[in-house]
Amino acid sequence: MAHSHQPSDRHFDHCPWLFAEEASEEQRAAQRERQAEIDGDSEIGERCFVAGSAAVFPDRLRLGDDSYIAAHAYVTGELTTGADCTLNPFTTVRGTVALGAGVRVGAHTSLLGFNHLMAPDRPVFRQPLSSRGITVGDDVWIGSHVVVVDGVTIGDHCVIGAGSVVTRDLPPWTVAAGNPARALRDRRDGGRGAAGRGRADKDPLPLRGFADMARTQAAEILARCWDGERYVDRPGAQATVRAHCDAVEIADLLLGAVPGQLTADAHIERLASAQDAVSGLVPEWGDPAPVAETDGFTGEGPALYHVLSVGYALDLLGSSFPHPVRGVRDMTARQLVARLEALPWRSGAWEAGAWIDAWATAAHWNGAPEPGSVEALFGWLLTRADPWSGMWGEPSAREGRLQVVNGYYRLTRGSFAQYGVPVPHPERVVDAVLDHARDVRYFGAGQENACNVLDVAHPLWLCGRQSGAGAGGDGYRAGEIRAWAERQLSATLPRWRSGEGFAFGPGTSPGLQGTEMWLAIIWYLADLAGRSPELGYRPLGVHRPEAARAR
């Protein structure tokens, strides 16, 4: 006669998948007590199991339904899992680790979402720790004896071979193995290998994973660029006003908060007090106050761009300039038109566009410029746009359309886009901008910098909204616009440097300016491809897509 045998607690520790079906009521009660005893901020879902022999000492634990932590696992730090996740015997999970749904982690595998620094000024055991975190997508199988190091993102549906060491991000559907792990093939290809499929029939680029990774590293990037007193664009550089503003923009975009180096009030006080009370302009740190202009707004240099960067940083902080920009406030419509006529449209269309950007933004912050001035600006621009290109200025044999396209971005950003006024000849602009985007001097492999890509992406987005080609629509040349955006995303996302952000362009180091600009560019590119919701962020500062809020 056969006898039933009740599995022991030790048996369930090593085979936790049996617990839901075979545990006695007494064992279930003991498991509830076991889960209640876990220290730290913990929330454990339905039908979960945590082995009695597992060392689970988290700061924060979120265990999804139907998940388990098996015998002798070691869990510290912050662990978040989706449903149906399994940490098998002797797994180590430390630091900040986020698992999607349906993740299988093999025995003796280590997910190490933290690291030691190793500066030569002190022994390793006295070094501080850093943590960028590990993110694993849905439906991922990580084999036994694998090591995943800090800062790595593993995309949905990946399979990682036993004994691998994962040091770099892996896109969705990757089958990877080795030390360091490398992609062997696409999981959907059977034996055909990674070259067997084209980009078009694969899952799109992992925008959600990129954005999540950027969020986990944002605080580290900001701290890296704080010299103890002020923000610098990158370690070793001079402190600048723009670096402070870029820090505010990055923190707002990725964290929905202010940079942690100062309180919100301290950020506001430092930026607002930098404005010269007489001219209303903001000089660079340590520079003399700008000369107050009595015959119109003719500012130049950093003070001109600070109208944008400081104004929007204060806006994000819930504040505003304490003083009006005098040269714009006092400029009559007649003076404005004279200045517009004198701008260097033939030799420096970018310079002309940048001046209009600063003037129109200052008028926005001032709230009440001289009567008729803003109307005069739009009237002049609308009657001077070239009907063949929709732009202002002329291409040159030496630079092609670079000055004209880049000047168009600056001009329309501050005027038409910021005030919510439709641009003239949007389809002709699309033609001109797409033609410029084929210029290999600026868009050849590895040649792109943040300004040049932004100055194509924004006009395509702005004009696409009027022609029906935006956000994946079917308007004028929409397919070409989406294809260009996807190519740029493919080139841009891998340029992120873990813990450092983006460099502005080739030959430069990662810093706050490059990071702020490329994050905004990625949003525009993703929106052109109809995929911006995957990022979970939307620019609200200098590069905001919507018209500025009425003041």
Side-chain angles (χ1 to χ4, degrees):
M1 179 177 177
H3 295 277
S4 63
H5 176 69
Q6 176 65 47
S8 66
D9 293 343
R10 185 168 177 269
H11 187 87
F12 286 133
D13 272 14
H14 288 267
C15 304
W17 55 88
L18 300 176
F19 183 84
E21 296 293 330
E22 301 183 16
S24 67
E25 286 304 318
E26 184 179 356
Q27 289 169 323
R28 295 179 197 277
Q31 176 61 205
R32 288 193 291 270
E33 291 181 9
R34 162 71 173 127
Q35 295 178 15
E37 291 171 353
I38 295 175
D39 292 331
D41 175 12
S42 63
E43 293 181 11
I44 298 177
E46 299 293 327
R47 298 174 300 282
C48 289
F49 179 86
V50 180
S53 59
V56 183
F57 306 114
D59 296 321
R60 185 175 187 272
L61 174 65
R62 297 292 184 270
L63 199 61
D65 294 345
D66 301 295
S67 298
Y68 64 72
I69 299 174
H72 305 291
Y74 178 31
V75 178
T76 65
E78 298 187 9
L79 171 62
T80 302
T81 84
D84 295 294
C85 286
T86 61
L87 305 184
N88 279 291
F90 299 97
T91 296
T92 295
V93 179
R94 303 193 66 194
T96 302
V97 177
L99 308 181
V103 177
R104 296 291 181 268
V105 181
H108 299 277
T109 283
S110 296
L111 309 180
L112 305 177
F114 76 106
N115 208 343
H116 280 279
L117 301 183
M118 53 181 181
D121 61 343
R122 70 190 76 175
V124 170
F125 78 93
R126 294 190 184 279
Q127 296 282 347
L129 300 179
S130 64
S131 179
R132 298 192 295 272
I134 292 170
T135 301
V136 179
D138 298 336
D139 179 38
V140 173
W141 176 18
I142 302 175
S144 297
H145 293 278
V146 171
V147 176
V148 181
V149 302
D150 189 33
V152 164
T153 295
I154 298 174
D156 297 343
H157 315 296
C158 286
V159 175
I160 315 299
S164 300
V165 178
V166 185
T167 60
R168 295 185 178 181
D169 295 351
L170 295 173
W173 296 103
T174 300
V175 177
N179 180 6
R182 63 183 183 87
L184 302 179
R185 60 180 176 87
D186 188 293
R187 181 178 159 193
R188 299 164 293 182
D189 288 334
R192 285 186 287 159
R197 298 174 71 98
R199 175 78 251 169
D201 62 346
K202 289 186 178 180
D203 271 7
L205 290 161
L207 293 179
R208 184 175 290 105
F210 163 79
D212 289 343
M213 174 191 65
R215 288 186 191 93
T216 64
Q217 298 180 21
E220 179 183 0
I221 291 168
L222 297 174
R224 171 180 179 263
C225 295
W226 174 256
D227 69 3
E229 294 292 332
R230 297 187 185 275
Y231 290 98
V232 297
D233 181 65
R234 57 196 179 279
Q238 284 287 113
T240 62
V241 173
R242 178 166 183 168
H244 194 143
C245 299
D246 287 335
V248 172
E249 295 242 14
I250 292 167
D252 182 84
L253 191 72
L254 293 179
L255 304 175
V258 301
Q261 286 69 38
L262 298 171
T263 65
D265 287 344
H267 282 291
I268 292 170
E269 192 281 331
R270 182 167 292 188
L271 291 173
S273 65
Q275 187 187 30
D276 175 55
V278 178
S279 69
L281 296 174
V282 178
E284 189 54 86
W285 302 130
D287 285 356
V291 175
E293 298 158 349
T294 58
D295 59 348
F297 178 66
T298 58
E300 60 184 8
L304 203 64
Y305 191 78
H306 292 165
V307 172
L308 282 63
S309 60
V310 178
Y312 271 103
L314 287 169
D315 190 59
L316 290 172
L317 293 164
S319 187
S320 61
F321 278 126
H323 311 288
V325 180
R326 177 180 173 184
V328 173
R329 181 197 64 186
D330 298 341
M331 182 180 277
T332 66
R334 186 182 298 275
Q335 288 174 320
L336 173 61
V337 169
R339 177 63 176 158
L340 292 171
E341 296 284 357
L343 291 172
W345 294 107
R346 286 181 175 272
S347 60
W350 181 88
E351 180 183 343
W355 185 90
I356 290 174
D357 191 1
W359 189 96
T361 302
H364 165 64
W365 299 133
N366 285 352
E370 279 291 302
S373 293
V374 172
E375 292 79 4
L377 172 69
F378 283 104
W380 192 93
L381 292 173
L382 287 167
T383 56
R384 299 306 195 281
D386 180 356
W388 294 102
S389 68
M391 297 187 172
W392 298 266
E394 298 177 7
S396 70
R398 184 170 64 89
E399 293 183 298
R401 294 186 184 273
L402 181 67
Q403 283 271 338
V404 178
V405 171
N406 290 12
Y408 181 89
Y409 161 68
R410 288 295 305 271
L411 184 156
T412 56
R413 191 222 71 86
S415 56
F416 293 92
Q418 188 165 226
Y419 284 77
V421 177
V423 296
H425 317 298
E427 293 185 354
R428 301 291 74 78
V429 174
V430 170
D431 291 338
V433 169
L434 286 176
D435 178 67
H436 171 63
R438 290 191 288 268
D439 193 326
V440 295
R441 291 174 294 178
Y442 314 115
F443 297 94
Q447 297 300 309
E448 301 97 335
N449 65 41
C451 273
N452 291 344
V453 177
L454 175 64
D455 296 357
V456 168
H458 187 274
L460 289 178
W461 184 91
L462 185 64
C463 295
R465 281 298 178 279
Q466 290 181 223
S467 65
D474 297 321
Y476 186 69
R477 301 185 72 173
E480 294 171 76
I481 292 171
R482 284 196 297 272
W484 180 84
E486 288 282 7
R487 288 195 300 272
Q488 287 298 323
L489 283 171
S490 296
T492 299
L493 295 184
R495 294 177 184 148
W496 177 271
R497 297 272 196 90
S498 189
E500 298 177 319
F502 284 113
F504 174 82
T508 62
S509 300
L512 295 180
Q513 179 183 350
T515 301
E516 186 276 322
M517 291 187 69
W518 282 111
L519 287 171
I521 291 165
I522 287 168
W523 185 90
Y524 280 102
L525 295 173
D527 205 59
L528 289 171
R531 299 177 51 210
S532 60
E534 297 174 38
L535 291 168
Y537 69 72
R538 188 179 187 91
L540 294 174
V542 171
H543 300 114
R544 59 181 297 124
E546 292 85 12
R549 295 183 293 275
R551 300 184 62 78

